[in-house]
Protein backbone atom coordinates (compact mmCIF):
# COMPACT_ATOMS: atom_id res chain seq x y z
CA UNK A 1 0.00 0.00 0.00
CA UNK A 2 1.12 3.53 -0.77
CA UNK A 3 0.27 6.78 1.00
CA UNK A 4 0.09 9.58 -1.54
CA UNK A 5 1.39 13.07 -0.72
CA UNK A 6 -0.79 16.13 -1.02
CA UNK A 7 -0.59 18.11 -4.25
CA UNK A 8 0.02 21.69 -5.23
CA UNK A 9 -2.90 23.69 -6.57
CA UNK A 10 -4.09 23.01 -10.11
CA UNK A 11 -7.51 24.68 -10.00
CA UNK A 12 -7.15 28.30 -8.93
CA UNK A 13 -10.85 29.19 -9.04
CA UNK A 14 -14.29 27.64 -9.21
CA UNK A 15 -14.52 28.96 -12.76
CA UNK A 16 -11.39 27.01 -13.73
CA UNK A 17 -12.81 23.87 -12.17
CA UNK A 18 -16.18 24.38 -13.83
CA UNK A 19 -14.53 24.68 -17.24
CA UNK A 20 -12.58 21.47 -16.65
CA UNK A 21 -15.79 19.66 -15.71
CA UNK A 22 -17.68 20.56 -18.87
CA UNK A 23 -14.90 20.27 -21.46
CA UNK A 24 -14.48 16.51 -21.59
CA UNK A 25 -12.99 14.11 -24.17
CA UNK A 26 -15.35 11.59 -25.81
CA UNK A 27 -14.84 7.82 -25.95
CA UNK A 28 -12.92 6.17 -28.78
CA UNK A 29 -15.75 4.84 -30.92
CA UNK A 30 -13.36 3.14 -33.35
CA UNK A 31 -12.01 0.98 -30.52
CA UNK A 32 -15.50 -0.02 -29.37
CA UNK A 33 -16.53 -0.81 -32.94
CA UNK A 34 -13.50 -3.06 -33.38
CA UNK A 35 -14.41 -4.85 -30.16
CA UNK A 36 -17.98 -5.33 -31.38
CA UNK A 37 -16.71 -6.76 -34.65
CA UNK A 38 -14.65 -9.36 -32.80
CA UNK A 39 -17.55 -10.21 -30.47
CA UNK A 40 -19.66 -10.94 -33.57
CA UNK A 41 -17.41 -13.81 -34.70
CA UNK A 42 -16.76 -15.51 -31.34
CA UNK A 43 -18.19 -18.96 -30.64
CA UNK A 44 -21.37 -17.91 -28.88
CA UNK A 45 -24.79 -16.54 -29.79
CA UNK A 46 -24.74 -12.79 -30.31
CA UNK A 47 -25.10 -10.95 -27.02
CA UNK A 48 -25.14 -14.13 -24.96
CA UNK A 49 -22.52 -12.84 -22.52
CA UNK A 50 -24.74 -9.86 -21.77
CA UNK A 51 -23.08 -7.11 -19.78
CA UNK A 52 -19.70 -8.81 -20.01
CA UNK A 53 -19.63 -7.81 -23.66
CA UNK A 54 -20.66 -4.27 -22.78
CA UNK A 55 -17.88 -4.02 -20.21
CA UNK A 56 -15.19 -4.95 -22.71
CA UNK A 57 -16.48 -2.33 -25.15
CA UNK A 58 -16.55 0.24 -22.34
CA UNK A 59 -12.97 -0.55 -21.34
CA UNK A 60 -11.75 -0.32 -24.91
CA UNK A 61 -13.60 2.90 -25.67
CA UNK A 62 -11.98 4.70 -22.74
CA UNK A 63 -8.55 3.11 -22.99
CA UNK A 64 -8.59 3.81 -26.74
CA UNK A 65 -7.63 0.22 -27.54
CA UNK A 66 -9.27 -2.46 -29.65
CA UNK A 67 -7.71 -4.94 -27.22
CA UNK A 68 -8.17 -3.54 -23.71
CA UNK A 69 -5.79 -4.32 -20.87
CA UNK A 70 -6.11 -4.73 -17.12
CA UNK A 71 -2.44 -5.03 -16.25
CA UNK A 72 -2.34 -1.80 -14.20
CA UNK A 73 -5.35 -1.68 -11.92
CA UNK A 74 -5.14 0.93 -9.16
CA UNK A 75 -7.36 1.39 -6.12
CA UNK A 76 -7.31 4.81 -4.46
CA UNK A 77 -9.01 5.48 -1.12
CA UNK A 78 -9.51 9.05 0.06
CA UNK A 79 -9.92 9.48 3.83
CA UNK A 80 -11.39 12.52 5.54
CA UNK A 81 -13.16 13.71 8.66
CA UNK A 82 -16.41 15.65 9.04
CA UNK A 83 -17.32 18.36 11.52
CA UNK A 84 -20.97 17.33 11.44
CA UNK A 85 -20.01 14.25 13.48
CA UNK A 86 -20.27 16.57 16.49
CA UNK A 87 -24.04 16.52 15.90
CA UNK A 88 -24.23 12.82 16.78
CA UNK A 89 -24.87 11.47 13.27
CA UNK A 90 -22.61 8.44 13.66
CA UNK A 91 -22.26 5.80 16.37
CA UNK A 92 -18.49 5.84 15.79
CA UNK A 93 -16.03 8.49 17.00
CA UNK A 94 -14.13 10.56 14.44
CA UNK A 95 -10.86 9.04 15.68
CA UNK A 96 -11.76 5.83 13.82
CA UNK A 97 -10.90 7.48 10.48
CA UNK A 98 -7.22 7.81 11.41
CA UNK A 99 -7.24 4.38 13.03
CA UNK A 100 -8.55 2.81 9.85
CA UNK A 101 -5.93 4.61 7.75
CA UNK A 102 -3.38 2.93 10.02
CA UNK A 103 -5.16 -0.38 9.51
CA UNK A 104 -4.92 0.07 5.74
CA UNK A 105 -1.20 0.71 6.10
CA UNK A 106 -0.83 -2.48 8.15
CA UNK A 107 -2.65 -4.56 5.51
CA UNK A 108 -5.37 -5.32 8.03
CA UNK A 109 -8.57 -4.11 6.37
CA UNK A 110 -11.02 -5.81 4.05
CA UNK A 111 -9.88 -3.68 1.14
CA UNK A 112 -6.31 -4.88 1.56
CA UNK A 113 -7.43 -8.47 1.08
CA UNK A 114 -9.70 -7.58 -1.83
CA UNK A 115 -6.93 -5.58 -3.50
CA UNK A 116 -4.71 -8.66 -3.35
CA UNK A 117 -7.43 -10.78 -4.96
CA UNK A 118 -7.97 -8.12 -7.63
CA UNK A 119 -4.20 -7.88 -8.30
CA UNK A 120 -4.46 -4.14 -7.81
CA UNK A 121 -2.19 -1.50 -6.31
CA UNK A 122 -3.72 0.21 -3.26
CA UNK A 123 -3.10 3.86 -2.38
CA UNK A 124 -4.58 5.69 0.61
CA UNK A 125 -4.69 9.48 0.78
CA UNK A 126 -5.46 11.15 4.14
CA UNK A 127 -7.05 14.41 3.05
CA UNK A 128 -6.25 17.69 4.85
CA UNK A 129 -4.16 15.66 7.33
CA UNK A 130 -7.51 14.30 8.53
CA UNK A 131 -8.55 17.65 9.97
CA UNK A 132 -12.37 17.78 9.97
CA UNK A 133 -14.46 19.95 7.74
CA UNK A 134 -16.64 22.57 9.38
CA UNK A 135 -19.96 21.44 10.80
CA UNK A 136 -22.17 22.17 7.80
CA UNK A 137 -25.19 22.88 9.96
CA UNK A 138 -23.32 26.03 11.02
CA UNK A 139 -21.12 26.98 8.04
CA UNK A 140 -20.01 25.66 4.64
CA UNK A 141 -18.10 22.42 5.07
CA UNK A 142 -15.07 23.82 3.24
CA UNK A 143 -13.84 27.21 2.18
CA UNK A 144 -13.50 27.59 -1.56
CA UNK A 145 -9.65 27.44 -1.42
CA UNK A 146 -9.79 24.31 0.76
CA UNK A 147 -12.29 22.68 -1.58
CA UNK A 148 -10.17 23.48 -4.64
CA UNK A 149 -7.09 22.10 -2.88
CA UNK A 150 -8.93 18.88 -2.11
CA UNK A 151 -10.16 18.49 -5.70
CA UNK A 152 -6.62 19.17 -6.87
CA UNK A 153 -5.20 16.52 -4.55
CA UNK A 154 -7.63 14.00 -6.01
CA UNK A 155 -6.82 15.05 -9.55
CA UNK A 156 -3.09 14.73 -8.94
CA UNK A 157 -3.48 11.29 -7.34
CA UNK A 158 -4.39 9.67 -10.66
CA UNK A 159 -1.43 8.00 -12.36
CA UNK A 160 -1.75 8.41 -16.11
CA UNK A 161 -0.23 4.94 -16.49
CA UNK A 162 -3.43 3.23 -15.30
CA UNK A 163 -5.71 0.79 -17.11
CA UNK A 164 -8.54 0.90 -14.56
CA UNK A 165 -9.06 3.18 -11.56
CA UNK A 166 -11.12 1.99 -8.58
CA UNK A 167 -12.21 4.67 -6.12
CA UNK A 168 -13.34 4.51 -2.51
CA UNK A 169 -13.41 6.43 0.75
CA UNK A 170 -13.06 6.26 4.50
CA UNK A 171 -14.55 8.89 6.78
CA UNK A 172 -16.71 8.73 9.87
CA UNK A 173 -19.87 10.75 9.19
CA UNK A 174 -19.51 10.78 5.44
CA UNK A 175 -22.84 9.13 4.66
CA UNK A 176 -24.43 12.21 6.23
CA UNK A 177 -22.44 14.45 3.88
CA UNK A 178 -23.28 12.20 0.93
CA UNK A 179 -26.99 12.27 1.74
CA UNK A 180 -26.99 16.06 2.11
CA UNK A 181 -25.15 16.50 -1.18
CA UNK A 182 -27.51 14.09 -2.98
CA UNK A 183 -30.50 16.03 -1.68
CA UNK A 184 -29.00 19.33 -2.84
CA UNK A 185 -28.24 17.94 -6.30
CA UNK A 186 -31.38 15.89 -6.96
CA UNK A 187 -34.01 17.17 -4.54
CA UNK A 188 -35.75 15.72 -1.54
CA UNK A 189 -35.31 15.95 2.20
CA UNK A 190 -33.09 14.33 4.77
CA UNK A 191 -35.68 11.60 5.25
CA UNK A 192 -35.41 10.69 1.54
CA UNK A 193 -31.64 10.28 1.65
CA UNK A 194 -30.53 9.40 5.20
CA UNK A 195 -29.70 5.77 5.92
CA UNK A 196 -28.09 3.58 8.55
CA UNK A 197 -24.54 4.44 7.55
CA UNK A 198 -22.14 2.62 9.85
CA UNK A 199 -24.86 1.17 12.05
CA UNK A 200 -27.46 3.71 13.19
CA UNK A 201 -30.75 2.48 14.62
CA UNK A 202 -34.12 3.94 13.57
CA UNK A 203 -33.88 6.84 16.02
CA UNK A 204 -30.38 7.58 14.84
CA UNK A 205 -31.49 7.66 11.19
CA UNK A 206 -34.30 10.07 12.08
CA UNK A 207 -31.86 12.34 13.90
CA UNK A 208 -29.47 12.18 10.95
CA UNK A 209 -32.29 13.17 8.59
CA UNK A 210 -33.14 16.15 10.80
CA UNK A 211 -29.51 17.30 10.80
CA UNK A 212 -29.44 17.07 7.01
CA UNK A 213 -32.59 19.17 6.79
CA UNK A 214 -31.00 21.84 8.99
CA UNK A 215 -28.02 21.97 6.63
CA UNK A 216 -30.20 22.09 3.53
CA UNK A 217 -32.22 24.96 4.96
CA UNK A 218 -29.14 26.91 6.00
CA UNK A 219 -27.50 26.62 2.58
CA UNK A 220 -30.61 26.63 0.39
CA UNK A 221 -29.66 29.79 -1.48
CA UNK A 222 -26.16 28.70 -2.50
CA UNK A 223 -26.48 25.11 -3.72
CA UNK A 224 -27.92 25.57 -7.21
CA UNK A 225 -24.36 25.26 -8.52
CA UNK A 226 -23.22 21.60 -8.19
CA UNK A 227 -19.67 22.63 -7.32
CA UNK A 228 -20.85 25.01 -4.60
CA UNK A 229 -23.07 22.24 -3.27
CA UNK A 230 -20.04 19.93 -3.07
CA UNK A 231 -18.00 22.62 -1.32
CA UNK A 232 -20.79 23.45 1.11
CA UNK A 233 -22.13 20.00 2.00
CA UNK A 234 -19.41 17.52 1.04
CA UNK A 235 -16.09 16.55 2.54
CA UNK A 236 -12.41 16.59 1.78
CA UNK A 237 -12.40 12.94 0.75
CA UNK A 238 -15.46 13.45 -1.43
CA UNK A 239 -13.82 16.41 -3.17
CA UNK A 240 -10.77 14.22 -3.70
CA UNK A 241 -12.89 11.53 -5.34
CA UNK A 242 -14.49 14.10 -7.64
CA UNK A 243 -11.04 15.35 -8.64
CA UNK A 244 -9.86 11.81 -9.34
CA UNK A 245 -12.92 11.03 -11.48
CA UNK A 246 -12.30 14.24 -13.43
CA UNK A 247 -8.61 13.46 -13.92
CA UNK A 248 -9.44 9.97 -15.12
CA UNK A 249 -11.78 11.41 -17.74
CA UNK A 250 -9.14 13.85 -18.98
CA UNK A 251 -6.57 11.02 -19.08
CA UNK A 252 -8.98 8.54 -20.70
CA UNK A 253 -8.96 6.05 -17.83
CA UNK A 254 -12.08 3.97 -17.08
CA UNK A 255 -13.27 4.18 -13.47
CA UNK A 256 -15.10 1.83 -11.13
CA UNK A 257 -17.05 3.77 -8.52
CA UNK A 258 -17.75 2.22 -5.13
CA UNK A 259 -20.91 2.76 -3.08
CA UNK A 260 -23.17 5.57 -1.85
CA UNK A 261 -20.54 8.06 -0.70
CA UNK A 262 -18.35 7.54 -3.77
CA UNK A 263 -21.36 7.93 -6.06
CA UNK A 264 -22.46 11.13 -4.33
CA UNK A 265 -18.93 12.51 -4.58
CA UNK A 266 -18.94 12.00 -8.36
CA UNK A 267 -22.52 13.22 -8.84
CA UNK A 268 -21.67 16.92 -9.39
CA UNK A 269 -19.87 15.92 -12.58
CA UNK A 270 -23.08 14.32 -13.85
CA UNK A 271 -25.06 17.46 -13.03
CA UNK A 272 -22.52 19.69 -14.81
CA UNK A 273 -22.38 17.53 -17.94
CA UNK A 274 -24.93 14.82 -18.83
CA UNK A 275 -22.04 12.79 -20.31
CA UNK A 276 -19.72 13.55 -17.42
CA UNK A 277 -19.68 10.03 -15.99
CA UNK A 278 -19.78 7.85 -19.09
CA UNK A 279 -16.20 6.75 -18.37
CA UNK A 280 -17.38 5.31 -15.05
CA UNK A 281 -19.18 2.13 -14.11
CA UNK A 282 -20.92 1.59 -10.79
CA UNK A 283 -19.38 -1.47 -9.19
CA UNK A 284 -22.28 -2.31 -6.89
CA UNK A 285 -25.49 -1.17 -5.27
CA UNK A 286 -24.83 -0.79 -1.58
CA UNK A 287 -27.17 -1.59 1.29
CA UNK A 288 -27.45 2.14 2.07
CA UNK A 289 -31.11 2.74 1.36
CA UNK A 290 -30.75 5.75 -0.94
CA UNK A 291 -28.03 4.37 -3.17
CA UNK A 292 -30.48 2.83 -5.63
CA UNK A 293 -32.22 6.16 -6.11
CA UNK A 294 -28.93 8.00 -6.47
CA UNK A 295 -27.69 5.54 -9.09
CA UNK A 296 -30.91 6.10 -11.02
CA UNK A 297 -30.50 9.87 -11.01
CA UNK A 298 -26.92 9.41 -12.22
CA UNK A 299 -27.82 6.95 -14.96
CA UNK A 300 -25.61 4.22 -13.50
CA UNK A 301 -26.51 0.51 -13.46
CA UNK A 302 -24.63 -1.39 -10.74
CA UNK A 303 -22.68 -4.51 -11.65
CA UNK A 304 -23.13 -6.27 -8.30
CA UNK A 305 -25.70 -6.28 -5.49
CA UNK A 306 -24.19 -7.99 -2.46
CA UNK A 307 -25.61 -6.01 0.45
CA UNK A 308 -22.29 -4.25 1.07
CA UNK A 309 -22.13 -1.09 3.18
CA UNK A 310 -18.45 -0.96 4.09
CA UNK A 311 -17.07 1.66 1.72
CA UNK A 312 -13.28 1.73 1.34
CA UNK A 313 -13.59 0.68 -2.36
CA UNK A 314 -14.65 -2.84 -1.35
CA UNK A 315 -17.33 -3.13 -4.03
CA UNK A 316 -15.06 -1.66 -6.70
CA UNK A 317 -12.34 -4.18 -5.85
CA UNK A 318 -14.83 -7.03 -6.00
CA UNK A 319 -15.88 -5.98 -9.50
CA UNK A 320 -12.34 -6.14 -10.88
CA UNK A 321 -12.35 -9.96 -11.28
CA UNK A 322 -15.64 -9.61 -13.14
CA UNK A 323 -13.98 -7.25 -15.61
CA UNK A 324 -11.02 -9.63 -15.89
CA UNK A 325 -13.44 -12.44 -16.72
CA UNK A 326 -15.14 -10.32 -19.38
CA UNK A 327 -11.81 -9.47 -20.96
CA UNK A 328 -10.58 -13.08 -20.82
CA UNK A 329 -13.63 -14.25 -22.74
CA UNK A 330 -13.21 -11.55 -25.36
CA UNK A 331 -9.50 -12.14 -25.96
CA UNK A 332 -9.32 -15.90 -25.40
CA UNK A 333 -12.37 -17.32 -27.15
CA UNK A 334 -12.00 -18.82 -30.60
CA UNK A 335 -13.88 -17.52 -33.58
CA UNK A 336 -16.37 -19.73 -35.41
CA UNK A 337 -13.88 -20.08 -38.27
CA UNK A 338 -10.92 -20.94 -36.02
CA UNK A 339 -12.88 -23.52 -34.02
CA UNK A 340 -14.66 -25.06 -37.00
CA UNK A 341 -18.04 -24.38 -35.44
CA UNK A 342 -20.96 -23.72 -37.75
CA UNK A 343 -22.49 -20.27 -37.49
CA UNK A 344 -26.20 -19.57 -37.19
CA UNK A 345 -28.07 -19.85 -40.44
Amino acid sequence: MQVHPQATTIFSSMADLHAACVDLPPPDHAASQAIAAREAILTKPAGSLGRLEELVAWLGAWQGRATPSLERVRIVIFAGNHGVVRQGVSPWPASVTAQMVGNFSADGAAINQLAHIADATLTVIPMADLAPTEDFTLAPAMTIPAFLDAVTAGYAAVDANTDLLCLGEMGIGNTTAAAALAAALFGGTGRDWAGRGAGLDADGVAHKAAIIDIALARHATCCDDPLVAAQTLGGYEMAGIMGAVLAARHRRIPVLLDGFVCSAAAAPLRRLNPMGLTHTSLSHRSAEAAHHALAGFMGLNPLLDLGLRLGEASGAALAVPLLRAALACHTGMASFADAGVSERT
Side-chain angles (χ1 to χ4, degrees), residues 3-313:
V3 175
H4 200 282
Q6 299 297 297
T8 56
T9 299
I10 294 174
F11 302 111
S12 60
S13 69
M14 293 290 257
D16 286 345
L17 178 55
H18 185 277
C21 292
V22 298
D23 185 15
L24 302 174
D28 186 329
H29 295 295
S32 58
Q33 289 168 0
I35 289 167
R38 173 166 170 77
E39 286 288 343
I41 63 170
L42 297 180
T43 48
K44 59 180 176 60
S48 59
L49 284 178
R51 292 188 70 187
L52 295 187
E53 299 177 21
E54 297 172 12
L55 287 170
V56 176
W58 170 74
L59 285 171
W62 289 106
Q63 291 180 359
R65 303 173 189 156
T67 304
S69 172
L70 288 174
E71 293 182 5
R72 299 168 301 239
V73 177
R74 306 187 194 280
I75 301 171
V76 181
I77 299 173
F78 295 90
N81 275 314
H82 295 260
V84 73
V85 168
R86 293 191 290 271
Q87 298 291 338
V89 295
S90 174
W92 299 85
S95 58
V96 169
T97 303
Q99 292 164 1
M100 282 302 300
V101 169
N103 195 27
F104 298 146
S105 297
D107 201 41
I111 187 55
N112 298 98
Q113 319 321 313
L114 296 174
H116 296 320
I117 293 297
D119 192 20
T121 300
L122 175 62
T123 300
V124 178
I125 305 179
M127 299 294 288
D129 295 323
L130 297 185
T133 59
E134 295 297 323
D135 177 351
F136 61 37
T137 66
L138 304 175
M142 294 163 279
T143 65
I144 288 175
F147 172 70
L148 292 172
D149 284 349
V151 174
T152 292
Y155 195 100
V158 177
D159 188 333
N161 190 30
T162 299
D163 295 323
L164 177 69
L165 178 64
C166 304
L167 294 173
E169 43 62 40
M170 172 64 213
I172 297 301
N174 64 11
T175 58
T176 302
L181 180 55
L185 294 175
F186 301 110
T189 67
R191 184 176 178 179
D192 297 315
W193 294 100
R196 292 182 59 212
L200 289 172
D201 59 16
D203 289 342
V205 173
H207 173 68
K208 180 178 179 178
I211 293 298
I212 291 167
D213 285 338
I214 291 171
L216 293 173
R218 174 172 288 276
H219 303 295
T221 60
C222 62
C223 287
D224 290 341
D225 183 323
L227 295 180
V228 175
Q231 171 238 328
T232 303
L233 297 170
Y236 292 122
E237 83 279 33
M238 295 171 67
I241 288 170
M242 189 179 75
V245 174
L246 181 60
R249 179 57 169 265
H250 290 164
R251 295 166 185 168
R252 307 188 63 83
I253 300 167
V255 174
L256 280 178
L257 299 173
D258 196 38
F260 180 58
V261 176
C262 190
S263 299
L269 299 175
R270 175 66 170 76
R271 283 292 314 276
L272 288 166
N273 185 330
M275 305 301 290
L277 294 179
T278 52
H279 66 302
T280 72
S281 283
L282 182 57
S283 62
H284 75 116
R285 182 173 71 183
S286 80
E288 190 70 3
H291 193 209
H292 178 67
L294 180 58
F297 279 117
M298 296 171 68
L300 297 174
N301 187 12
L303 299 175
L304 303 171
D305 189 351
L306 300 172
L308 304 177
R309 54 185 182 90
L310 177 62
E312 65 188 48

